[in-house]
Amino acid sequence: QVQLVESGGGLVQAGGSLKVSCAASENIFDFGGMGWFRQAPGKQRDLVASISRGGITWYADNVKGRFTISRDGAKNTVNLQMNSLKPEDTAVYFCVADRGSERSWGQGTQVTVSS
């Protein structure tokens, strides 16, 4: 029932920056947490960043210092600012929202980082 729509993906050169956004169909503060997963071809889907309802953030070790997750309650969006991008960051990025036992997923947005 919860709809999440990602945007902002694209092609960027290594060392560049990109921001992906996720628009939710509900008040984002109704969720226990939101985050971003990514999945490269042939690899598992890994959590890269999350933010709790209380604003506590978490980052995977390989993106710490480069990625920043944030939210805009007025727009019901969660954003992922990605700086100093590396080719290994290339993946489909998925927005996720948790509400109780329910996890909702966005459709994903492609991020490609060229060498």
Side-chain angles (χ1 to χ4, degrees):
Q1 194 85 315
V2 177
Q3 294 186 129
L4 304 170
V5 180
E6 301 99 332
S7 62
L11 175 65
V12 64
Q13 289 184 300
S17 298
L18 201 64
K19 184 174 77 174
V20 291
S21 298
C22 172
S25 62
E26 300 181 10
N27 189 329
I28 61 172
F29 294 100
D30 289 340
F31 304 126
M34 298 187 72
W36 290 90
F37 282 75
R38 68 185 183 187
Q39 187 169 29
K43 297 189 67 177
Q44 66 181 18
R45 187 174 296 185
D46 293 326
L47 181 66
V48 296
S50 66
I51 184 167
S52 72
R53 182 167 53 228
I56 300 171
T57 58
W58 177 92
Y59 299 94
D61 286 342
N62 55 4
V63 306
K64 284 182 179 177
R66 300 189 298 118
F67 289 12
T68 303
I69 189 169
S70 63
R71 60 190 178 185
D72 185 338
K75 296 182 177 181
N76 285 333
T77 60
V78 62
N79 304 306
L80 186 68
Q81 177 67 48
M82 301 178 287
N83 299 326
S84 301
L85 283 162
K86 305 174 181 179
E88 51 262 46
D89 295 319
T90 295
V92 177
Y93 284 70
F94 296 90
C95 180
V96 65
D98 291 337
R99 183 175 59 189
S101 62
E102 175 186 339
R103 173 164 288 179
S104 299
W105 295 88
Q107 83 287 353
T109 186
Q110 177 71 46
V111 172
T112 302
V113 184
S114 63
S115 301

